[in-house]
Amino acid sequence: MPIEILMPALSPTMTEGTVARWLKKEGERVSAGDVLAEIETDKATMELEAADEGVLSQILVPEGSHGVTVNSVLALLQTEDGNGQKTMSAPHVRPPVSIPAAPAPRPVAKAVPPPPAQRTYAGPTKTQTVREALRDAMAEEMRRDPKVLLIGEEVAEYQGAYKVSQGLLEEFGAERVVDTPITEQGFAGIAVGAAMHGLRPVVEFMTFNFALQAMDQIINSAAKTLYMSGGQINCPIVFRGPNGAAARVAAQHSQCFASWYAHVPGLSVVAPYSAADAKGLLKSAIRNSNPVIFLENEILYGRSFEVPTEGDHLVPIGQAAVLREGNHVTVATFSIMVAHALTAAERLAKEGISVEVIDLRTIRPLDVATLVASVRKTNHLVSVEEGWPACGIGAELSALMMEHAFDDLDAPVVRVAGADVPLPYAANLEKLALPQVEQIIAAIRTVLARG
Amino acid sequence: MATAAKAKSAASRGNQARAPAATVADLLGCYRDMLLIRRFEERAGQMYGMGLIGGFCHLYIGQEAVVVGMQHALAPDDVMITSYRDHGHTLARGMDPKRVMAELTGRRDGYSRGKGGSMHMFSRAKNFYGGHGIVGAQVPIGAGIALSMKYQGSKNVSAVYFGEGAANQGQVFETFNMASLWKLPVIFVVENNMYAMGTAVTRAKAGSDFYLRGAPFGIPGEQVDGMDVLAVKAAGVRAVAHCRSGAGPILLEMRTYRYRGHSMSDPGKYRTRDEITKVRSEKDAIENVRALLLASGQVNEDALKEIDREIKAIVADAAEFAQNSPEPDPAELFTDVMVA
């Protein structure tokens, strides 16, 4: 029996990829270590090496095939002794930021079904991933204002650890797309100083987990100096990068920081879900004359949405969006949890339960008016967030309802949040720790039953 | 690497062995500027004792030659940034003593309209970027200002002051690395006053002297007698020229001494009174310049007394102004959080 060469998982969130090119032909003899093919993920192009010696007897997935799921059989390798076994094709060279995982027996994260609701726009649109929309936002703003620059680890030559800054170095050069050493506190502080002196830096943190190293510069320097200087020294800066859990990257790489930053006066905190909002909000953030924390989500990077193509697509900071109208209950959420909330709403609609889904989009300042108007109509609120429950966004929403909509509530607010533990690695435990659609549905049933 | 650093340091030590001859006008300028800081700080200390100044108050007495010597080497459109011990820096930058003192008393005419206090004063107009309370945090910020200067094509430099205590912070080394990598026009000025709060430098520092700490990153360093204003100025002139030439950052270690406590609430048990008295009597920067002026034969006691009177009047006016300036309007509580 020949050896099966499988589609490898090349990053924690990869579920499928493209077979870009076969470098060996059918019938060709290969040695262990030979590059068989190039596999393109949404983050990078990687080489697939042979792990065994033999003859490439059959190519099952031709080059140019898109959407090839992890663990699909790509080709067969006939070995001398004929002993067949599945091979671990070793992915090699230029790994993306996340260490390539060996092919898992089961795909780790089943792709969440496409969002059931999509905003509609009056003008023309095009389909774009969140990743492309973010890149376009930066490119447009860099074309518009020479004082805008991008600074961070791997943003230039590597084209972005998550490929968000792809093409920017080529267009804007190394002065404006600045690779830094691995030195978060240092480069965050340098960017803060540059902002105080008149530039408009966009700081990319490879993930917001690493921004903990830079927290002092973000809070004590960027957020407070305008006040401490009696209004003299402002800090027009954007700190952006993926926030929250990706997939199977364990506790130190999987934290949602929304409530941490939302606590701080002097900061705006933005966490978009769709590509259109990611673009419009990032453009607004770059034009804002204050520090903005821009929380992205790794899993959302590859999702596609319609993005307006006409004119300057700006989404104002501080405005929530009602993504789905409903009458029975309001679900308020942000970032990737919007997808879960929309799925939950879709399922409950079949039972006649009408769910209004609000994408907060901005966490600070919260759009209290939109929330209150919705709760006045539905009289029930469920908050959904990936972060921990204690002092979280749900706690804040709950308190806001006490202050602004107490008499409109038919039942106490119900919070859905991540489990109050460091995020575990094991697939089953990770799933248990992160809010799932089922939990949101259960929370909605609970709040309606209490009403 | 170590050899190169040593060679450099030997060369720089040679450079500063004898301060260049200064004109009487130069000396008078330094004398006046240092005396203003000394008298201002003495008055601030008194006012703190009277309860007119609150919170933390870190006096600059003893270290005046550092900031004044450097100021005489910098241009007005160069930038200065420092830590919380910033009163002397504001005055050296030419900020109005009245408004500096009004910030210390927390009044509306203060540079930060009373919202910053002793540790957080700024003047964009005078290119003074604070006034930062977290030890070492001003160092990357100052390098970022230099990055902005370079990006915008200016020939200015950023003078970043920090104590020898801050020199042990990780972000200082991170900044050395990037400043050198990107050839940023930064002068790192380590004000080594021998004590990080109550910890003597010998108990906090391993390895070489501070002026050599940039050497692993390719940053030339120079050790300077920070009690000698002319030596400081000469080193400052060399450093400014180095940065303006596009050669990247440079590091100056100023050996200085603070006569007063770390802050007003420092009991000072970590050093002897004799030690302070000895430095004061032998090394005092203001007394040194005074002696040079009198020795020049071109300035007499009366002329110096006249300067003393002028300075006293400036400080008295500042103190009076700071006590009479009203407290901030309560509505100011919510202003300046964000730019509209």
Side-chain angles (χ1 to χ4, degrees), chain A residues 324 343-355:
Chain A
R324 182 189 174 104
T343 305
E346 190 71 19
R347 283 203 210 154
L348 286 169
K350 291 174 187 140
E351 300 175 22
I353 297 172
S354 166
V355 180

Side-chain angles (χ1 to χ4, degrees), chain A residues 145-149 151 175-176 178-199 213 216-217 220-221 223 225-235 265-268 288-291 364-365, chain B residues 79 99 103 111-113 115-117 120-125 127-129 131-132 134 136-145 147-152 154 170-171 174-175 177-179 181-182 184 332-340:
Chain A
D145 182 353
K147 291 191 170 173
V148 178
L149 70 158
I151 178 167
E175 281 229 323
R176 299 185 68 192
V178 183
D179 273 331
T180 68
I182 301 169
T183 173
E184 279 82 8
Q185 191 180 19
F187 73 68
I190 284 178
V192 165
M196 288 175 176
H197 194 253
L199 301 187
Q213 300 259 17
D216 175 63
Q217 289 292 356
N220 271 318
S221 303
T225 300
L226 181 70
Y227 196 83
M228 296 195 304
S229 67
Q232 290 184 76
I233 313 278
N234 68 314
C235 190
L267 296 180
S268 298
N288 197 289
S289 292
N290 304 289
R364 181 189 182 93
Chain B
V79 160
R99 296 190 57 202
E103 190 58 41
Y111 268 98
S112 299
R113 301 203 263 172
K115 294 179 183 178
H120 307 303
M121 291 187 277
F122 302 79
S123 169
R124 209 189 264 281
N127 287 306
F128 181 68
Y129 279 71
H132 295 266
I134 305 300
Q138 76 275 19
V139 179
I141 296 174
I145 291 168
L147 181 136
S148 170
M149 289 166 166
K150 192 175 175 190
Y151 186 96
Q152 301 188 55
S154 92
Q171 60 185 319
E174 295 183 28
T175 304
N177 185 41
M178 283 178 280
L181 194 63
W182 299 335
L184 302 181
E332 282 284 322
L333 177 62
F334 291 106
T335 62
D336 303 326
V337 178
M338 310 268 268
V339 180

Side-chain angles (χ1 to χ4, degrees), chain B residues 276-331:
Chain B
I276 304 169
T277 310
K278 190 168 153 55
V279 178
R280 261 199 114 124
S281 58
E282 293 173 6
K283 295 280 293 173
D284 188 75
I286 297 175
E287 284 307 315
N288 286 345
V289 172
R290 191 184 158 82
L292 285 174
L293 279 167
L294 292 173
S296 74
Q298 295 178 55
V299 178
N300 61 23
E301 287 276 5
D302 286 347
L304 293 179
K305 273 193 186 132
E306 182 51 34
I307 293 175
D308 290 4
R309 268 195 296 275
E310 277 170 34
I311 298 292
K312 266 186 191 147
I314 291 170
V315 171
D317 282 354
E320 168 127 358
F321 178 83
Q323 290 170 68
N324 293 330
S325 172
E327 289 189 314
D329 190 289

Side-chain angles (χ1 to χ4, degrees), chain B residues 164-165 168 196 199-206 210 213:
Chain B
E164 90 288 346
N168 292 321
T199 304
V201 62
T202 50
R203 294 202 295 126
K205 176 182 71 74
F210 292 106
R213 285 224 174 153

Side-chain angles (χ1 to χ4, degrees), chain B residues 1 72 82 152-153 159-160 170 176 179 202 204 213 231 260 274 296:
Chain B
M1 195 161 54
H72 282 247
T82 188
Q152 301 188 55
V160 182
F176 284 174
T202 50
R213 285 224 174 153
R260 297 291 188 92
D274 284 352
S296 74

Side-chain angles (χ1 to χ4, degrees), chain A residues 152-175:
Chain A
E153 293 156 6
E154 310 290 7
V155 296
E157 297 202 1
Y158 196 94
Q159 305 288 322
Y162 294 96
K163 255 192 180 174
V164 174
S165 55
Q166 203 167 27
L168 296 184
L169 173 66
E170 201 177 62
E171 180 173 354
F172 300 103
E175 281 229 323

